[in-house]
């Protein structure tokens, strides 16, 4: 067995425990060890991607119990890719949290941060549906604490809404797993795929109920209309580095849909038929539309970034809903891009908030910001990346999706929605940018919002620390540029990933035939 497969789960869990037990009163030590763990996770993730690029399925058997009797972690191209994206994003957001001082505005930030990484990595690597639920709960419990970090009435209210929605999702998840286990007698994903294929066609009603319940759970995580109401307030009110890390959280839902509905309930699975056709495409188009209309109508930069995240999930799930290797390849490229661009936008929003005083992120004219030109340039870059305009990777991602969906019977409908909502997004970002960066006023002419978000007092950062937020945001911008420049090699890997996904026999034989 390759013990490196479990390292992304074990390392942050041990680091979180160490921080709580030995460093809870020493913020400097917490920062050093947390950031060091993130660097190590990036190195491990790179190694796992290189390992997965061979095409072999890596299996780690916990307790040396073989599947389907024991718990297994599974490494394939898709899980390795998601681990790498998460590790890179975690390093950059940790850098921002340290430089901006967000980690000093409340207790246990770095411990919760590491526990959340443990849950996210576990969700991507697990080969068992019940343990997918367990890792969902780990990442959600940590995210509850991170969501209300630094306190404030509005943040607590958004956090309560976030908790209630996810408790509903967790309850549905348990019902779905119980239903599937009652029908198949297993929750190992590979074994589940085998047993679902063996079920007689007249004995699948309960199975279809379980599959639909699972889809509802994953739709809540992915903020699919009409289950998206928790996201705008949550992401807008969350601390900036937390909101940036949350950019990967909705992708956990998209990942779970891809995994379960290519491996277990695939388009060729006769017993469940076309479970997602045609209604799933309709709700993804509606999600995209609502997201981009929200961008146009947002009253603050935080809500604008949150609705942009909803719109990007709509675009991503449109590509996934067609369920072909080509559309999946395009979806994976867009997933990488939207994670980076969404995180970058949330960090830029925080840079603006910190420089506008009581005005915060409200879309009203205000005085010129400190480092006005640089912040405006970063917002412009984040805006064109999020809207999908050239020359950044969002344009390539949308172009790939438009090209890949030509095999769909609804190609003209998809094209119309994507192109029209892109225009709406451009108008929304342009309107926001002009109010914040172009229509500047004298300091006493700005009108503050009715209820500014509370910002606890903190010590003035050192010059080196004050440069870290801009450095972290610049790293995300550099990542979008690199994703554009190296789109060819990246797409070679993504093409092989999509091909592996749509050949579930490779995964099944790799897990069940590991010995």
């Amino acid at each position: 067995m390759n013990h490196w497969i479990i390292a992304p789960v074990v390392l942050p869990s041990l680091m979180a425990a160490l921080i709580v037990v030995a460093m809870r009163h020493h913020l400097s030590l917490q920062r050093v060890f947390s950031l060091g763990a993130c660097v190590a996770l990036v190195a491990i993730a790179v190694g796992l991607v290189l390992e997965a690029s061979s095409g072999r399925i890596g299996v780690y058997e916990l307790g040396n119990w073989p599947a389907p009797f024991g718990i297994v972690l599974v490494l394939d191209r898709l899980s390795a890719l998601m681990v790498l994206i998460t590790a890179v994003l975690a390093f950059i957001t940790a850098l921002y949290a340290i430089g901006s001082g967000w980690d000093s505005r409340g207790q246990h930030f770095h411990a919760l941060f590491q526990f959340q990484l443990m849950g996210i990595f576990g969700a991507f690597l697990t080969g068992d549906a019940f343990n997918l639920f367990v890792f969902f709960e780990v990442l959600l419990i940590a995210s509850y604490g991170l969501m209300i970090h630094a306190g404030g009435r509005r943040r607590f209210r958004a956090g309560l809404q976030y908790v209630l929605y996810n408790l509903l999702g967790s309850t549905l998840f348990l019902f779905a797993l119980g239903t599937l286990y009652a029908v198949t007698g297993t929750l190992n994903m590979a074994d589940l795929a085998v047993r679902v294929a063996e079920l007689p066609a007249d004995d699948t009603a309960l199975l279809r109920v379980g599959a639909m319940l699972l889809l509802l759970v994953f739709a809540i995580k992915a903020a699919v209309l009409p289950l998206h109401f928790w996201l705008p307030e949550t992401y807008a009110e969350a601390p900036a580095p937390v909101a940036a890390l949350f950019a990967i959280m909705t992708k956990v839902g998209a990942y779970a849909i891809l995994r379960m509905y290519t491996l277990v309930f695939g388009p060729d699975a006769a017993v469940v038929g076309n479970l997602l056709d045609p209604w799933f495409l309709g709700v993804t188009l509606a999600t995209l539309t609502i997201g981009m209309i929200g961008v146009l109508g947002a009253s603050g930069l935080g809500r604008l970034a949150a609705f942009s995240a909803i719109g990007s999930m709509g675009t991503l799930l449109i590509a996934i809903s067609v369920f072909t290797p080509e559309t999946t390849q395009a979806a994976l490229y867009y997933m990488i891009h939207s994670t980076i661009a969404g995180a970058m936008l949330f960090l830029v929003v925080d840079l603006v908030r910190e420089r506008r005083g009581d005005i915060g992120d409200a879309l009203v004219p205000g005085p010129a910001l400190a480092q006005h030109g640089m912040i405006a340039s970063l917002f412009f870059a984040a805006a064109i990346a999020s809207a999908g305009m050239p020359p950044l990777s969002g344009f390539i991602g949308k172009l790939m999706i438009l090209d890949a969906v030509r095999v769909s019977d609804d190609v003209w409908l998809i094209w119309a929605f994507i192109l029209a909502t892109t225009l709406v997004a451009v108008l929304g970002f342009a309107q926001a940018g002009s109010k914040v960066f172009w229509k500047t006023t004298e300091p006493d002419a700005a009108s503050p919002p009715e209820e500014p978000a509370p910002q606890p007092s903190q010590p003035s950062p050192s010059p080196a620390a004050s440069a870290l937020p801009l450095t972290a945001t610049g790293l995300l911008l550099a990542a979008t540029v690199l994703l554009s420049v190296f789109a060819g090699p990246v797409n070679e890997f993504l093409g092989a990933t999509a091909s592996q996904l749509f050949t579930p026999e490779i995964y099944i034989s790799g897990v069940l035939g590991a010995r």
Side-chain angles (χ1 to χ4, degrees):
M1 288 189 294
N2 182 357
H3 293 277
W4 287 109
I5 296 174
I6 199 173
V9 179
V10 172
L11 177 59
S13 64
L14 292 178
M15 187 57 61
L18 180 64
I19 288 173
V20 170
V21 171
M23 308 178 200
R24 61 183 181 275
H25 301 305
H26 304 281
L27 181 60
S28 297
L29 284 178
Q30 292 180 36
R31 289 173 168 177
V32 170
F33 278 81
S34 181
L35 196 60
C38 289
V39 172
L41 286 168
V42 172
I44 293 169
V46 170
L48 292 179
V49 168
L50 294 176
E51 172 72 17
S53 62
S54 66
R56 294 190 300 272
I57 303 295
V59 180
Y60 185 85
E61 300 169 344
L62 277 78
N64 210 31
W65 284 86
F69 308 106
I71 299 170
V72 294
L73 301 181
V74 183
L75 180 74
D76 65 350
R77 285 189 173 98
L78 179 60
S79 58
L81 172 68
M82 300 307 295
V83 166
L84 179 60
I85 297 170
T86 306
V88 172
L89 183 62
F91 169 71
I92 294 175
T93 52
L95 203 64
Y96 186 95
I98 293 169
S100 62
W102 266 110
D103 62 340
S104 66
R105 303 182 193 185
Q107 297 295 316
H108 307 302
F109 176 89
H110 290 286
L112 291 169
F113 189 85
Q114 293 295 324
F115 273 128
Q116 183 167 13
L117 291 181
M118 170 197 170
I120 296 173
F121 287 131
F124 290 143
L125 288 168
T126 186
D128 184 275
F130 183 78
N131 280 281
L132 180 62
F133 165 78
V134 172
F135 283 119
F136 266 31
E137 293 309 298
V138 171
L139 71 91
L140 286 172
I141 290 171
S143 71
Y144 298 155
L146 289 172
M147 170 61 211
I148 60 173
H149 180 75
R153 186 170 64 86
R154 291 171 59 176
R155 190 166 292 133
F156 270 111
R157 183 181 63 193
L160 179 61
Q161 177 180 278
Y162 175 65
V163 169
L164 291 176
Y165 261 92
N166 280 285
L167 284 177
L168 171 63
S170 298
T171 305
L172 288 177
F173 206 164
L174 277 179
F175 287 162
L177 294 177
T179 303
L180 293 177
Y181 189 79
V183 175
T184 63
T186 186
L187 288 176
N188 178 276
M189 293 181 189
D191 196 37
L192 197 58
V194 172
R195 299 201 185 191
V196 165
E198 293 172 348
L199 284 175
D202 57 351
D203 192 26
T204 61
L206 201 56
L207 179 70
R208 292 171 68 88
V209 170
M212 285 301 300
L213 285 174
L214 266 187
L215 186 62
L216 280 176
V217 172
F218 300 150
I220 291 174
K221 309 302 182 188
V224 176
L225 194 83
L227 305 172
H228 70 292
F229 294 106
W230 62 270
L231 191 147
E233 192 74 12
T234 300
Y235 281 33
E237 297 298 333
V242 176
L245 185 63
F246 279 8
I248 196 67
M249 293 269 283
T250 47
K251 308 307 186 296
V252 176
Y255 165 85
I257 291 173
L258 260 180
R259 178 67 75 196
M260 295 298 291
Y261 293 87
T262 55
L263 177 63
V264 181
F265 310 112
D268 298 327
V271 292
V272 292
N274 295 324
L275 194 65
L276 305 183
D277 189 37
W279 64 271
F280 189 58
L281 174 61
V283 298
T284 59
L285 291 172
T287 302
L288 169 61
T289 303
I290 291 298
M292 293 314 178
I293 290 175
V295 169
L296 184 61
S299 59
L301 288 177
R303 292 185 68 84
L304 177 143
F307 276 107
S308 176
I310 294 175
S312 70
M313 284 305 300
T315 304
L316 170 62
L317 292 171
I318 286 170
I320 290 176
S321 69
V322 182
F323 278 105
T324 67
E326 293 76 20
T327 56
T328 300
Q329 177 183 347
L332 292 176
Y333 184 91
Y334 190 80
M335 180 187 291
I336 301 171
H337 156 78
S338 61
T339 303
I340 297 169
M344 178 182 173
L345 186 57
F346 280 112
L347 296 189
V348 172
V349 169
D350 190 62
L351 292 173
V352 174
R353 280 175 177 159
E354 294 294 314
R355 287 161 172 77
R356 295 188 93 201
D358 290 339
I359 299 175
D361 66 353
L363 294 183
V364 296
L369 310 176
Q371 301 170 306
H372 190 89
M374 181 178 294
I375 305 299
S377 299
L378 287 172
F379 178 82
F380 176 72
I384 63 173
S386 300
M389 299 298 290
L392 296 180
S393 52
F395 177 73
I396 299 174
K398 284 194 174 181
L399 203 60
M400 288 177 61
I401 292 174
L402 293 173
D403 180 60
V405 298
R406 288 187 299 166
V407 299
S408 172
D409 295 334
D410 301 302
V411 54
W412 295 111
L413 182 65
I414 295 173
W415 279 28
F417 269 81
I418 291 179
L419 294 175
T421 52
T422 299
L423 176 60
V424 172
V426 169
L427 293 175
F429 281 112
Q431 173 183 262
S434 65
K435 288 181 178 179
V436 174
F437 299 106
W438 183 259
K439 298 178 180 179
T440 56
T441 64
E442 294 300 322
D444 58 349
S447 56
E450 295 181 0
E451 186 186 349
Q455 299 292 341
S457 60
Q458 58 178 335
S460 301
S462 66
S466 62
L468 282 180
L470 290 173
T471 302
T473 311
L475 286 174
L476 290 172
L477 175 58
T480 63
V481 173
L482 291 174
L483 188 59
S484 302
V485 172
F486 295 101
V490 170
N491 270 299
E492 287 183 13
F493 181 85
L494 298 181
T497 303
S499 178
Q500 190 179 62
L501 271 175
F502 282 84
T503 314
E505 297 81 10
I506 298 175
Y507 186 99
I508 295 169
S509 61
V511 174
L512 299 182
R515 298 199 177 191

